Amino acid sequence: MLLGALLLLAACAQSDPAGTVEAYLQAKAASDLDRMLSLSCAAWEGQAVIEATSFESMNAELEGMACRAGEERDGATRVDCEGQITTVYNGETRQWDLGAFPYRLVQEGGEWKMCGYFEENGGQ
């Protein structure tokens, strides 16, 4: 059953920008670098490595995650999410708001890829 759910998630991630962000965030919480890289655009791969490494020993859990695609600008689609990632490191619990930054998705090779954050002022 878990395998079926993962296959469905992978299929959604390829055709849906919100699904890609959800898959990326799940991989980030699990510190799954290979998965994060497969969901990242070429320009974001270095940052994906940093994010995976920083979450490696944090025992992260996603809570209440829901993402939706929004506006398109300059070849990118904005994805907004709700929920949080809760981490525990050295006995300290911290919550990371998934809605703090809108995600920037682009199409590369016919698939949606995480490619940074969508800035409010029109920048990238």
Side-chain angles (χ1 to χ4, degrees), residues 1 11 14 16-17 19 29 36 39 41-42 53 60 66 71-73 81 85 91 94 97 100 102 110 116 123:
M1 188 161 126
Q14 293 175 356
D16 172 34
M36 290 173 71
L39 295 165
C41 72
T53 303
E71 74 175 286
E72 296 181 24
R73 183 181 346 138
C81 296
I85 297 177
R94 182 170 178 192
D97 180 12

Side-chain angles (χ1 to χ4, degrees), residues 57-115:
S57 57
M58 289 193 172
N59 301 315
E61 289 186 27
L62 285 166
E63 298 174 1
M65 178 177 62
C67 299
R68 67 199 163 286
E71 74 175 286
E72 296 181 24
R73 183 181 346 138
D74 300 326
T77 296
R78 174 185 172 133
V79 174
D80 293 288
C81 296
E82 300 173 349
Q84 60 193 13
I85 297 177
T86 300
T87 58
V88 179
Y89 183 73
N90 268 352
E92 182 180 333
T93 300
R94 182 170 178 192
Q95 296 178 330
W96 308 76
D97 180 12
L98 298 179
F101 303 100
Y103 302 91
R104 182 176 178 271
L105 280 284
V106 298
Q107 287 234 335
E108 269 186 15
E111 295 182 1
W112 287 105
K113 301 288 186 168
M114 167 66 175
C115 206

Side-chain angles (χ1 to χ4, degrees), residues 17-34:
T20 299
V21 172
E22 290 177 357
Y24 181 88
L25 291 172
Q26 288 172 341
K28 181 177 176 176
S31 193
D32 182 346
L33 177 58
D34 290 336

Side-chain angles (χ1 to χ4, degrees), residues 24 33 36-37 40-41 44-54:
Y24 181 88
L33 177 58
M36 290 173 71
L37 290 173
S40 297
C41 72
W44 186 253
E45 288 178 353
Q47 186 63 34
V49 170
I50 292 168
E51 289 187 352
T53 303
S54 69

